[in-house]
Amino acid sequence: MPGAEAGAQFGTGLVYLIILCLLVPFGLHRLRLLWLRFATGDPPAPRGWKGPLPPVTIQLPIYNEANVAERLIAAACSQDYPPELLEVQVLDDSDDTTVEIAARATAVWRERGIAARHVRRGTREGFKAGALAHGARLASGEFLLVLDADFVPPPGLIRSLLESFDAPNVGAVQAAWGHLNAGESWLTRAQALFLDAHFAIEHAARHRNGLFFNFNGSAGMWRRVCIEASGGWKSDTLTEDVDLSYRAQLGGWRLVYRDDVRVPAELPRKLEDVELQQERWAQGGIQSALKLLPRVWRSPLRPAVKWEASAHLLGHAVHPLTLILGICLCALGYLGLAHEGIPAWVHSAALGFATLPFLLFYGAAARVRRYRAGSIPRRLFEALILGLALGIPLTGAVLRGALRVRTPFRRTPKRGGVSIRAYRARVNGIASGVRAVLGLSLIGSMASLVASGLVAAVPFTGLFAAGYLAATREVARRGLSH
């Protein structure tokens, strides 16, 4: 065997094995969260709000949300709460027809006796964080409920969340997210499962065990003095919600998660919209880790809290590792390394360990959320291939966060129930191209493996190929439809 080929085989095999070892902690962490979720009993029921009802301000940060602004304002203004104690702030940074729609809607609700205010800053400085900070300075409420444009809160949301502010050190209460369009496509089904696992397993496990968790940017209510005492909203990361949550908890405030309170929201319908949202979360998560973890580790918190905070904030580091693993799998078939240097059991073990924690984690979430049993296998597969497909654009987001690259806050497009032509995300051409090349190359690698009789490596390779090609097909289908 020529020296160059031998060197390539050795290098690829070494990287493959190193990446597999680095991925082990991520799988173990999922299993630990799963154990914490079910090993701990249900949290005590909230004791309820005592005394006179407090004034509450609902904050609706919007930017070019012509399709959903009116629906959002109507739902916020229809809360089952005394009108004299309710204020609704439409924090409108738009520069399109949303401005007129929002102004008209707030005027209608003012005539009905609701203190609805159309707040215009004249700038997008600080993006969502800047809008929330500006609104907080103008707000009359003792409590601030934040709702993004794609949410439709139930009428009793304020009263439900207020029940959990039963101790003065409770700084915020987060509700679970529901879904308005979960059954629309494989993309929305997969996202719904991701979010259900995030809330029903991750949030529940952390909350039940006194670990840090985060406000999710929407469908949560803050005690105003907590925001002020924690330094207010900051725009130096793309996840201002995670940032404020951690600063509040480091300051001694307690966050409460209410899994029994659900607020439905619209899931992104297009792959490019999903990517945009997930890239923001991934980049902001790494930014928050760099900003907050030094403070976490210098604090007198329990070691369990520190370790879980680290695993939480650094969780997006799995994406570059997964992408490198996919590239290695592509190379293995062409180099014949599976035959020369890696035993078959390693590939089988890699497939099992990569998928088993995923299947257990998300399968448990499906059961908690009472999915129809017959639909669970398909939904797990859809979520698995979407997770692999997102690994390519999210690798770029993680690198931008790690390198402290500053990018603007790009919000997720929403369609709502109308067809106004509004803000649209651009297709990530680089990610789409890399996915297509890798997907087709992995198919070729599988053919090479089969021809060589190295079938043990085929399932793992095929899994990555399925993820990349499913996303490639989705982009192509959307492109043809337009």
Side-chain angles (χ1 to χ4, degrees):
M1 180 182 298
E5 185 177 351
Q9 287 193 352
F10 177 79
T12 303
L14 182 62
V15 172
Y16 178 68
L17 294 174
I18 290 173
I19 296 298
L20 287 177
C21 292
L22 291 175
L23 287 171
V24 168
F26 292 92
L28 292 177
H29 178 244
R30 272 190 180 145
L31 295 178
R32 180 175 181 271
L33 285 175
L34 197 57
W35 182 82
L36 289 174
R37 166 63 175 80
F38 293 103
T40 314
D42 292 335
R47 290 174 292 181
W49 181 261
K50 306 297 183 184
L53 291 174
V56 173
T57 296
I58 302 178
Q59 295 187 300
L60 311 176
I62 62 174
Y63 171 69
N64 292 357
E65 307 285 8
N67 286 322
V68 294
E70 192 168 2
R71 180 183 71 182
L72 171 69
I73 294 167
C77 292
S78 299
Q79 283 293 300
D80 176 21
Y81 205 71
E84 66 274 15
L85 298 174
L86 180 64
E87 175 187 46
V88 177
Q89 291 181 333
V90 182
L91 305 174
D92 185 8
D93 288 347
S94 303
D95 55 17
D96 68 355
T97 57
T98 305
V99 178
E100 291 75 25
I101 294 170
R104 184 169 60 250
T106 51
V108 168
W109 284 98
R110 276 198 305 274
E111 292 175 0
R112 298 178 184 179
I114 301 296
R117 314 197 187 285
H118 186 216
V119 180
R120 297 277 292 161
R121 294 192 294 158
T123 176
R124 286 197 75 203
E125 183 180 357
F127 303 104
K128 180 182 177 182
L132 290 171
H134 180 72
R137 290 191 290 270
L138 305 176
S140 61
E142 180 182 342
F143 293 88
L144 305 177
L145 171 62
V146 180
L147 293 166
D148 281 348
D150 47 339
F151 283 72
V152 183
L157 181 60
I158 292 178
R159 292 181 183 271
S160 294
L161 297 181
L162 202 57
E163 292 176 350
S164 293
F165 286 96
D166 51 8
N169 69 330
V170 175
V173 180
Q174 175 68 55
W177 292 4
H179 319 295
L180 293 171
N181 59 327
E184 186 174 291
S185 70
W186 77 273
L187 275 177
T188 57
R189 287 192 298 268
Q191 291 173 80
L193 183 53
F194 284 156
L195 289 170
D196 286 341
H198 173 69
F199 286 100
I201 306 298
E202 290 186 59
H203 267 15
R206 292 175 178 133
H207 177 229
R208 292 180 180 200
N209 291 274
L211 305 170
F212 280 13
F213 71 97
N214 63 287
F215 167 62
N216 289 94
S218 183
M221 190 153 69
W222 285 85
R223 196 186 295 269
R224 182 173 179 169
V225 294
C226 172
I227 296 177
E228 294 169 350
S230 304
W233 295 103
K234 304 292 184 183
S235 60
D236 54 349
T237 75
L238 291 177
T239 47
E240 74 295 323
D241 44 8
V242 174
D243 176 36
L244 180 57
S245 302
Y246 268 71
R247 284 190 279 118
Q249 290 168 107
L250 283 165
W253 293 92
R254 186 163 66 90
L255 270 61
V256 173
Y257 170 60
R258 291 287 300 276
D259 195 59
D260 60 320
V261 181
R262 312 279 172 78
V263 185
E266 178 183 318
L267 294 162
R269 290 172 160 88
K270 301 178 181 178
L271 182 63
E272 56 264 35
D273 299 344
V274 180
E275 289 178 348
L276 180 63
Q277 183 183 70
Q278 295 284 338
E279 286 184 63
R280 188 176 68 244
W281 292 349
Q283 183 174 343
I286 298 299
Q287 290 172 332
S288 296
L290 294 175
K291 176 181 178 178
L292 298 164
L293 284 181
R295 288 183 57 185
V296 169
W297 281 96
R298 287 195 302 265
S299 74
L301 293 165
R302 293 182 291 128
V305 176
K306 295 180 179 181
W307 282 110
E308 181 55 37
S310 301
H312 177 203
L313 295 178
L314 293 171
H316 288 289
V318 72
H319 302 300
L321 296 177
T322 305
L323 174 58
I324 295 170
L325 187 63
I327 295 171
C328 287
L329 283 168
C330 183
L332 290 179
Y334 293 108
L335 291 174
L337 183 60
H339 176 67
E340 296 289 339
I342 300 180
W345 67 264
V346 172
H347 298 292
S348 300
L351 175 64
F353 193 81
T355 58
L356 185 59
F358 183 97
L359 296 175
L360 291 173
F361 188 80
Y362 289 98
R367 296 303 292 166
V368 170
R369 287 292 186 258
R370 300 184 183 278
Y371 286 23
R372 185 171 54 83
S375 71
I376 293 177
R378 181 185 70 174
R379 297 187 72 163
L380 287 171
F381 180 71
E382 290 169 341
L384 185 56
I385 62 173
L386 178 59
L388 290 170
L390 290 173
I392 294 173
L394 297 193
T395 293
V398 167
L399 293 176
R400 289 193 296 273
L403 296 173
R404 303 180 187 273
V405 176
R406 297 299 300 270
T407 55
F409 184 104
R410 295 190 298 157
R411 59 84 166 166
T412 310
K414 296 99 181 175
R415 192 176 76 183
V418 295
S419 58
I420 299 173
R421 189 173 182 85
Y423 169 75
R424 294 171 61 180
R426 293 181 178 179
V427 173
N428 187 328
I430 295 176
S432 297
V434 172
R435 264 194 303 252
V437 170
L438 268 179
L440 293 173
S441 298
L442 284 163
I443 293 295
S445 180
M446 289 170 63
S448 176
L449 291 169
V450 171
S452 303
L454 308 173
V455 294
V458 170
F460 202 28
T461 308
L463 191 61
F464 278 77
Y468 297 149
L469 293 178
T472 300
R473 177 181 178 275
E474 185 69 22
V475 171
R477 187 175 67 85
R478 289 288 186 183
L480 290 173
S481 68
H482 293 298

